[in-house]
Amino acid sequence: MFDCIVLGAGLAGCVLAERFASDGKRVLLLEKKEHIGGTCYDFYDKSGILVHKYGPHIFNTDSETVWKYVNRFSDFRIYHHRVLGVIEGKKVPVPFNLESLYQLFPSTYAERIETKLLNKYAMNTKVPIMELQNQDDPDLKYLANYIYEYVFLHYTKKQWGMSPEEVGGTATARIPFYISRDDRYFQNRYQGIPVNGYTDMINHIIDNENIHVLLKTDYHKVIEFDQLTHTIKFMGLPYTGKVIVTVPLDELFDFCFGHLPYRTLDFKFETFNTEYFQEICTVNYPNNYDFTRITEFKYMTGQVHPQTTIVKEFPKQYDWKDKSQEPYYPIPQEKNTILYNKYRTLLDEFSNVILSGRLADYKYYTMSETITNALGAFDKYCVDNIK
């Protein structure tokens, strides 16, 4: 028997598998996909260009603990991500900042706006667009309405399939006005890309003789959560070891209360016989196009290659019946939280379960947050064991 069974070999599952294996536990890692790494998975395409299968991933964190952890398994290429957004035919930095302001508006007007912003907020402050819209000053209100219309509104409708007001503050807070001339997309202390890719890094994370990996495996066929007795069976036999759940809870309990909604993405990869396709790694298209952004991978990986590969992202509603789709973005609405909590109550009846990850928690996490939560879950397990 294994001491620990992990459902899902994404980033959260692999980190927890590593922690338990390093503690001397025998770990079984189950994954329904044909690869490890979840949505962090990257690979070399037919042209030999390293691409991210599920959209661009840039590692960024302020946590020294997390940064030291990932650097145990890979060296990192220092990379500071920058993004341009197409607004009224011009490509300007996003999130919208002081540089964007001066590129879109006459200098005298931009100077007046900057002065008013700095009289109200400190430099390097990120102000939610909704907050700016509530200002009494007509210039600040105009600026907020402009950003809302040309940057925020249509991008949000494409990304979430609803208006910013319907999505709510949890998601919309991620698109602020940044009162700064720092045009980097992230301002975290540590930023970079694994030099040999995320798949290589995660392979090193689970490179432990105590970890046994089963890919293309439906966990429902080997493990059962008995809701009547609140016990777990593995291969038809009672199992009393730890079960780490990183999969969606509605799926775990066969959707008995209904389906938790997600947004998903279609990706269109294109390779061109030119060294570069665009002037920067990522260009956002808030308006006019069905896709939300184009990313060119060579900028982030630093790969030298005569060709280049890009990916366009097309958001849409997730359909759980379509096995080719991935549930990327939990939809942060109160009714969905209520539904999730019903499933969470079911899981709370099982004493030997650890919950971790974006899908299991029904929350959007960065890679740093995913690792932080996984390490925290293991530390709690250790403390509980001592008690």
Side-chain angles (χ1 to χ4, degrees), residues 305-328:
H305 197 288
Q307 296 176 298
T308 191
T309 297
I310 66 166
V311 65
K312 296 175 181 176
E313 298 181 30
F314 298 82
K316 65 180 184 181
Q317 194 66 21
Y318 172 69
D319 180 1
W320 67 275
K321 295 179 183 178
D322 186 345
K323 301 306 179 183
S324 69
Q325 293 185 11
E326 290 292 324
Y328 289 108

PDB file of all heavy atoms in Angstrom, residues 305-328:
ATOM      1  N   HIS A 305      16.333  30.775 -32.553  1.00  0.00           N
ATOM      2  CA  HIS A 305      15.763  29.904 -33.588  1.00  0.00           C
ATOM      3  C   HIS A 305      15.377  30.774 -34.776  1.00  0.00           C
ATOM      4  O   HIS A 305      14.877  31.886 -34.601  1.00  0.00           O
ATOM      5  CB  HIS A 305      14.523  29.184 -33.024  1.00  0.00           C
ATOM      6  CG  HIS A 305      14.085  27.999 -33.819  1.00  0.00           C
ATOM      7  ND1 HIS A 305      13.476  28.106 -35.062  1.00  0.00           N
ATOM      8  CD2 HIS A 305      14.169  26.668 -33.555  1.00  0.00           C
ATOM      9  CE1 HIS A 305      13.199  26.899 -35.512  1.00  0.00           C
ATOM     10  NE2 HIS A 305      13.600  26.005 -34.623  1.00  0.00           N
ATOM     11  N   PRO A 306      15.610  30.308 -36.004  1.00  0.00           N
ATOM     12  CA  PRO A 306      15.283  31.130 -37.183  1.00  0.00           C
ATOM     13  C   PRO A 306      13.780  31.306 -37.400  1.00  0.00           C
ATOM     14  O   PRO A 306      13.358  32.222 -38.112  1.00  0.00           O
ATOM     15  CB  PRO A 306      15.912  30.363 -38.348  1.00  0.00           C
ATOM     16  CG  PRO A 306      16.014  28.948 -37.859  1.00  0.00           C
ATOM     17  CD  PRO A 306      16.272  29.050 -36.389  1.00  0.00           C
ATOM     18  N   GLN A 307      12.961  30.416 -36.799  1.00  0.00           N
ATOM     19  CA  GLN A 307      11.511  30.541 -36.881  1.00  0.00           C
ATOM     20  C   GLN A 307      10.950  31.004 -35.533  1.00  0.00           C
ATOM     21  O   GLN A 307      11.667  31.087 -34.541  1.00  0.00           O
ATOM     22  CB  GLN A 307      10.884  29.200 -37.279  1.00  0.00           C
ATOM     23  CG  GLN A 307      11.268  28.710 -38.661  1.00  0.00           C
ATOM     24  CD  GLN A 307      10.690  27.345 -38.940  1.00  0.00           C
ATOM     25  OE1 GLN A 307      11.005  26.372 -38.263  1.00  0.00           O
ATOM     26  NE2 GLN A 307       9.833  27.269 -39.962  1.00  0.00           N
ATOM     27  N   THR A 308       9.651  31.285 -35.533  1.00  0.00           N
ATOM     28  CA  THR A 308       9.011  31.695 -34.281  1.00  0.00           C
ATOM     29  C   THR A 308       7.591  31.150 -34.235  1.00  0.00           C
ATOM     30  O   THR A 308       6.932  30.996 -35.268  1.00  0.00           O
ATOM     31  CB  THR A 308       9.002  33.229 -34.133  1.00  0.00           C
ATOM     32  OG1 THR A 308       8.600  33.583 -32.807  1.00  0.00           O
ATOM     33  CG2 THR A 308       8.048  33.897 -35.118  1.00  0.00           C
ATOM     34  N   THR A 309       7.126  30.840 -33.005  1.00  0.00           N
ATOM     35  CA  THR A 309       5.769  30.335 -32.802  1.00  0.00           C
ATOM     36  C   THR A 309       5.009  31.273 -31.879  1.00  0.00           C
ATOM     37  O   THR A 309       5.534  31.725 -30.854  1.00  0.00           O
ATOM     38  CB  THR A 309       5.790  28.921 -32.187  1.00  0.00           C
ATOM     39  OG1 THR A 309       6.433  28.024 -33.101  1.00  0.00           O
ATOM     40  CG2 THR A 309       4.372  28.424 -31.922  1.00  0.00           C
ATOM     41  N   ILE A 310       3.774  31.575 -32.283  1.00  0.00           N
ATOM     42  CA  ILE A 310       2.890  32.406 -31.467  1.00  0.00           C
ATOM     43  C   ILE A 310       1.657  31.590 -31.081  1.00  0.00           C
ATOM     44  O   ILE A 310       1.399  30.527 -31.645  1.00  0.00           O
ATOM     45  CB  ILE A 310       2.438  33.674 -32.220  1.00  0.00           C
ATOM     46  CG1 ILE A 310       1.541  33.287 -33.415  1.00  0.00           C
ATOM     47  CG2 ILE A 310       3.627  34.503 -32.672  1.00  0.00           C
ATOM     48  CD1 ILE A 310       0.774  34.450 -34.026  1.00  0.00           C
ATOM     49  N   VAL A 311       0.902  32.109 -30.115  1.00  0.00           N
ATOM     50  CA  VAL A 311      -0.378  31.501 -29.781  1.00  0.00           C
ATOM     51  C   VAL A 311      -1.404  32.606 -29.571  1.00  0.00           C
ATOM     52  O   VAL A 311      -1.123  33.627 -28.941  1.00  0.00           O
ATOM     53  CB  VAL A 311      -0.277  30.598 -28.528  1.00  0.00           C
ATOM     54  CG1 VAL A 311       0.068  31.397 -27.278  1.00  0.00           C
ATOM     55  CG2 VAL A 311      -1.583  29.824 -28.322  1.00  0.00           C
ATOM     56  N   LYS A 312      -2.585  32.412 -30.133  1.00  0.00           N
ATOM     57  CA  LYS A 312      -3.725  33.302 -29.915  1.00  0.00           C
ATOM     58  C   LYS A 312      -4.684  32.611 -28.944  1.00  0.00           C
ATOM     59  O   LYS A 312      -4.903  31.397 -29.047  1.00  0.00           O
ATOM     60  CB  LYS A 312      -4.437  33.612 -31.231  1.00  0.00           C
ATOM     61  CG  LYS A 312      -3.592  34.372 -32.233  1.00  0.00           C
ATOM     62  CD  LYS A 312      -4.328  34.544 -33.569  1.00  0.00           C
ATOM     63  CE  LYS A 312      -3.469  35.276 -34.585  1.00  0.00           C
ATOM     64  NZ  LYS A 312      -4.127  35.359 -35.907  1.00  0.00           N
ATOM     65  N   GLU A 313      -5.282  33.390 -28.040  1.00  0.00           N
ATOM     66  CA  GLU A 313      -6.175  32.833 -27.028  1.00  0.00           C
ATOM     67  C   GLU A 313      -7.616  33.282 -27.276  1.00  0.00           C
ATOM     68  O   GLU A 313      -7.887  34.477 -27.373  1.00  0.00           O
ATOM     69  CB  GLU A 313      -5.731  33.252 -25.630  1.00  0.00           C
ATOM     70  CG  GLU A 313      -4.340  32.754 -25.270  1.00  0.00           C
ATOM     71  CD  GLU A 313      -3.923  33.161 -23.878  1.00  0.00           C
ATOM     72  OE1 GLU A 313      -4.804  33.302 -22.990  1.00  0.00           O
ATOM     73  OE2 GLU A 313      -2.711  33.355 -23.661  1.00  0.00           O
ATOM     74  N   PHE A 314      -8.515  32.302 -27.347  1.00  0.00           N
ATOM     75  CA  PHE A 314      -9.932  32.554 -27.577  1.00  0.00           C
ATOM     76  C   PHE A 314     -10.731  32.061 -26.364  1.00  0.00           C
ATOM     77  O   PHE A 314     -10.900  30.843 -26.204  1.00  0.00           O
ATOM     78  CB  PHE A 314     -10.411  31.831 -28.835  1.00  0.00           C
ATOM     79  CG  PHE A 314      -9.732  32.266 -30.113  1.00  0.00           C
ATOM     80  CD1 PHE A 314      -8.491  31.753 -30.465  1.00  0.00           C
ATOM     81  CD2 PHE A 314     -10.341  33.191 -30.947  1.00  0.00           C
ATOM     82  CE1 PHE A 314      -7.864  32.145 -31.641  1.00  0.00           C
ATOM     83  CE2 PHE A 314      -9.733  33.588 -32.128  1.00  0.00           C
ATOM     84  CZ  PHE A 314      -8.481  33.064 -32.478  1.00  0.00           C
ATOM     85  N   PRO A 315     -11.202  32.954 -25.496  1.00  0.00           N
ATOM     86  CA  PRO A 315     -11.954  32.506 -24.315  1.00  0.00           C
ATOM     87  C   PRO A 315     -13.352  32.020 -24.678  1.00  0.00           C
ATOM     88  O   PRO A 315     -13.963  32.482 -25.650  1.00  0.00           O
ATOM     89  CB  PRO A 315     -12.049  33.786 -23.460  1.00  0.00           C
ATOM     90  CG  PRO A 315     -11.096  34.750 -24.059  1.00  0.00           C
ATOM     91  CD  PRO A 315     -10.985  34.395 -25.501  1.00  0.00           C
ATOM     92  N   LYS A 316     -13.870  31.096 -23.885  1.00  0.00           N
ATOM     93  CA  LYS A 316     -15.246  30.630 -24.048  1.00  0.00           C
ATOM     94  C   LYS A 316     -15.682  29.923 -22.768  1.00  0.00           C
ATOM     95  O   LYS A 316     -14.870  29.664 -21.877  1.00  0.00           O
ATOM     96  CB  LYS A 316     -15.377  29.700 -25.250  1.00  0.00           C
ATOM     97  CG  LYS A 316     -14.617  28.391 -25.137  1.00  0.00           C
ATOM     98  CD  LYS A 316     -14.818  27.553 -26.395  1.00  0.00           C
ATOM     99  CE  LYS A 316     -14.143  26.191 -26.280  1.00  0.00           C
ATOM    100  NZ  LYS A 316     -14.325  25.383 -27.508  1.00  0.00           N
ATOM    101  N   GLN A 317     -16.968  29.598 -22.693  1.00  0.00           N
ATOM    102  CA  GLN A 317     -17.501  28.902 -21.530  1.00  0.00           C
ATOM    103  C   GLN A 317     -17.043  27.450 -21.531  1.00  0.00           C
ATOM    104  O   GLN A 317     -17.029  26.789 -22.574  1.00  0.00           O
ATOM    105  CB  GLN A 317     -19.027  28.975 -21.506  1.00  0.00           C
ATOM    106  CG  GLN A 317     -19.668  28.586 -20.183  1.00  0.00           C
ATOM    107  CD  GLN A 317     -19.343  29.563 -19.064  1.00  0.00           C
ATOM    108  OE1 GLN A 317     -18.974  30.701 -19.311  1.00  0.00           O
ATOM    109  NE2 GLN A 317     -19.463  29.102 -17.832  1.00  0.00           N
ATOM    110  N   TYR A 318     -16.666  26.965 -20.384  1.00  0.00           N
ATOM    111  CA  TYR A 318     -16.209  25.585 -20.248  1.00  0.00           C
ATOM    112  C   TYR A 318     -17.379  24.611 -20.331  1.00  0.00           C
ATOM    113  O   TYR A 318     -18.419  24.813 -19.698  1.00  0.00           O
ATOM    114  CB  TYR A 318     -15.485  25.423 -18.906  1.00  0.00           C
ATOM    115  CG  TYR A 318     -15.130  23.998 -18.551  1.00  0.00           C
ATOM    116  CD1 TYR A 318     -14.159  23.311 -19.266  1.00  0.00           C
ATOM    117  CD2 TYR A 318     -15.767  23.351 -17.491  1.00  0.00           C
ATOM    118  CE1 TYR A 318     -13.817  22.009 -18.937  1.00  0.00           C
ATOM    119  CE2 TYR A 318     -15.435  22.049 -17.153  1.00  0.00           C
ATOM    120  CZ  TYR A 318     -14.455  21.383 -17.878  1.00  0.00           C
ATOM    121  OH  TYR A 318     -14.135  20.096 -17.543  1.00  0.00           O
ATOM    122  N   ASP A 319     -17.206  23.554 -21.117  1.00  0.00           N
ATOM    123  CA  ASP A 319     -18.204  22.498 -21.253  1.00  0.00           C
ATOM    124  C   ASP A 319     -17.589  21.208 -20.725  1.00  0.00           C
ATOM    125  O   ASP A 319     -16.695  20.632 -21.350  1.00  0.00           O
ATOM    126  CB  ASP A 319     -18.608  22.344 -22.721  1.00  0.00           C
ATOM    127  CG  ASP A 319     -19.651  21.252 -22.931  1.00  0.00           C
ATOM    128  OD1 ASP A 319     -20.083  20.625 -21.938  1.00  0.00           O
ATOM    129  OD2 ASP A 319     -20.037  21.023 -24.100  1.00  0.00           O
ATOM    130  N   TRP A 320     -18.043  20.741 -19.573  1.00  0.00           N
ATOM    131  CA  TRP A 320     -17.446  19.577 -18.927  1.00  0.00           C
ATOM    132  C   TRP A 320     -17.577  18.309 -19.773  1.00  0.00           C
ATOM    133  O   TRP A 320     -16.801  17.363 -19.612  1.00  0.00           O
ATOM    134  CB  TRP A 320     -18.087  19.338 -17.561  1.00  0.00           C
ATOM    135  CG  TRP A 320     -19.533  18.923 -17.608  1.00  0.00           C
ATOM    136  CD1 TRP A 320     -20.616  19.738 -17.685  1.00  0.00           C
ATOM    137  CD2 TRP A 320     -20.033  17.590 -17.589  1.00  0.00           C
ATOM    138  NE1 TRP A 320     -21.772  19.010 -17.725  1.00  0.00           N
ATOM    139  CE2 TRP A 320     -21.445  17.683 -17.650  1.00  0.00           C
ATOM    140  CE3 TRP A 320     -19.450  16.327 -17.522  1.00  0.00           C
ATOM    141  CZ2 TRP A 320     -22.263  16.555 -17.662  1.00  0.00           C
ATOM    142  CZ3 TRP A 320     -20.268  15.202 -17.531  1.00  0.00           C
ATOM    143  CH2 TRP A 320     -21.651  15.320 -17.593  1.00  0.00           C
ATOM    144  N   LYS A 321     -18.521  18.284 -20.720  1.00  0.00           N
ATOM    145  CA  LYS A 321     -18.698  17.103 -21.568  1.00  0.00           C
ATOM    146  C   LYS A 321     -17.613  17.001 -22.638  1.00  0.00           C
ATOM    147  O   LYS A 321     -17.346  15.913 -23.159  1.00  0.00           O
ATOM    148  CB  LYS A 321     -20.072  17.133 -22.241  1.00  0.00           C
ATOM    149  CG  LYS A 321     -21.242  17.020 -21.275  1.00  0.00           C
ATOM    150  CD  LYS A 321     -22.572  17.092 -22.026  1.00  0.00           C
ATOM    151  CE  LYS A 321     -23.751  17.044 -21.074  1.00  0.00           C
ATOM    152  NZ  LYS A 321     -25.050  17.169 -21.789  1.00  0.00           N
ATOM    153  N   ASP A 322     -17.001  18.130 -22.972  1.00  0.00           N
ATOM    154  CA  ASP A 322     -15.948  18.162 -23.983  1.00  0.00           C
ATOM    155  C   ASP A 322     -14.611  17.858 -23.307  1.00  0.00           C
ATOM    156  O   ASP A 322     -14.027  18.718 -22.649  1.00  0.00           O
ATOM    157  CB  ASP A 322     -15.916  19.533 -24.657  1.00  0.00           C
ATOM    158  CG  ASP A 322     -14.935  19.593 -25.821  1.00  0.00           C
ATOM    159  OD1 ASP A 322     -14.083  18.681 -25.939  1.00  0.00           O
ATOM    160  OD2 ASP A 322     -15.003  20.556 -26.605  1.00  0.00           O
ATOM    161  N   LYS A 323     -14.115  16.653 -23.452  1.00  0.00           N
ATOM    162  CA  LYS A 323     -12.911  16.212 -22.746  1.00  0.00           C
ATOM    163  C   LYS A 323     -11.649  16.904 -23.244  1.00  0.00           C
ATOM    164  O   LYS A 323     -10.594  16.806 -22.603  1.00  0.00           O
ATOM    165  CB  LYS A 323     -12.750  14.690 -22.864  1.00  0.00           C
ATOM    166  CG  LYS A 323     -13.928  13.899 -22.308  1.00  0.00           C
ATOM    167  CD  LYS A 323     -14.247  14.285 -20.864  1.00  0.00           C
ATOM    168  CE  LYS A 323     -15.434  13.515 -20.331  1.00  0.00           C
ATOM    169  NZ  LYS A 323     -15.811  13.927 -18.958  1.00  0.00           N
ATOM    170  N   SER A 324     -11.741  17.611 -24.370  1.00  0.00           N
ATOM    171  CA  SER A 324     -10.567  18.334 -24.867  1.00  0.00           C
ATOM    172  C   SER A 324     -10.384  19.682 -24.164  1.00  0.00           C
ATOM    173  O   SER A 324      -9.343  20.320 -24.306  1.00  0.00           O
ATOM    174  CB  SER A 324     -10.690  18.560 -26.376  1.00  0.00           C
ATOM    175  OG  SER A 324     -11.738  19.487 -26.669  1.00  0.00           O
ATOM    176  N   GLN A 325     -11.399  20.121 -23.417  1.00  0.00           N
ATOM    177  CA  GLN A 325     -11.342  21.422 -22.761  1.00  0.00           C
ATOM    178  C   GLN A 325     -10.733  21.322 -21.363  1.00  0.00           C
ATOM    179  O   GLN A 325     -10.813  20.288 -20.703  1.00  0.00           O
ATOM    180  CB  GLN A 325     -12.741  22.036 -22.665  1.00  0.00           C
ATOM    181  CG  GLN A 325     -13.354  22.409 -23.990  1.00  0.00           C
ATOM    182  CD  GLN A 325     -14.682  23.114 -23.826  1.00  0.00           C
ATOM    183  OE1 GLN A 325     -15.068  23.512 -22.734  1.00  0.00           O
ATOM    184  NE2 GLN A 325     -15.393  23.285 -24.923  1.00  0.00           N
ATOM    185  N   GLU A 326     -10.165  22.446 -20.918  1.00  0.00           N
ATOM    186  CA  GLU A 326      -9.594  22.548 -19.574  1.00  0.00           C
ATOM    187  C   GLU A 326     -10.359  23.596 -18.779  1.00  0.00           C
ATOM    188  O   GLU A 326     -10.643  24.679 -19.298  1.00  0.00           O
ATOM    189  CB  GLU A 326      -8.126  22.960 -19.643  1.00  0.00           C
ATOM    190  CG  GLU A 326      -7.199  21.897 -20.188  1.00  0.00           C
ATOM    191  CD  GLU A 326      -7.083  20.722 -19.237  1.00  0.00           C
ATOM    192  OE1 GLU A 326      -7.097  20.933 -18.008  1.00  0.00           O
ATOM    193  OE2 GLU A 326      -6.984  19.581 -19.728  1.00  0.00           O
ATOM    194  N   PRO A 327     -10.702  23.307 -17.519  1.00  0.00           N
ATOM    195  CA  PRO A 327     -11.350  24.326 -16.675  1.00  0.00           C
ATOM    196  C   PRO A 327     -10.295  25.283 -16.110  1.00  0.00           C
ATOM    197  O   PRO A 327      -9.671  25.015 -15.094  1.00  0.00           O
ATOM    198  CB  PRO A 327     -11.995  23.483 -15.566  1.00  0.00           C
ATOM    199  CG  PRO A 327     -11.120  22.267 -15.458  1.00  0.00           C
ATOM    200  CD  PRO A 327     -10.579  22.005 -16.839  1.00  0.00           C
ATOM    201  N   TYR A 328     -10.099  26.427 -16.774  1.00  0.00           N
ATOM    202  CA  TYR A 328      -9.020  27.328 -16.403  1.00  0.00           C
ATOM    203  C   TYR A 328      -9.394  28.292 -15.274  1.00  0.00           C
ATOM    204  O   TYR A 328      -8.692  28.404 -14.275  1.00  0.00           O
ATOM    205  CB  TYR A 328      -8.570  28.159 -17.613  1.00  0.00           C
ATOM    206  CG  TYR A 328      -7.833  27.368 -18.644  1.00  0.00           C
ATOM    207  CD1 TYR A 328      -8.414  27.062 -19.873  1.00  0.00           C
ATOM    208  CD2 TYR A 328      -6.550  26.908 -18.404  1.00  0.00           C
ATOM    209  CE1 TYR A 328      -7.744  26.325 -20.825  1.00  0.00           C
ATOM    210  CE2 TYR A 328      -5.857  26.171 -19.346  1.00  0.00           C
ATOM    211  CZ  TYR A 328      -6.467  25.881 -20.555  1.00  0.00           C
ATOM    212  OH  TYR A 328      -5.798  25.142 -21.494  1.00  0.00           O
TER     213      TYR A 328
END
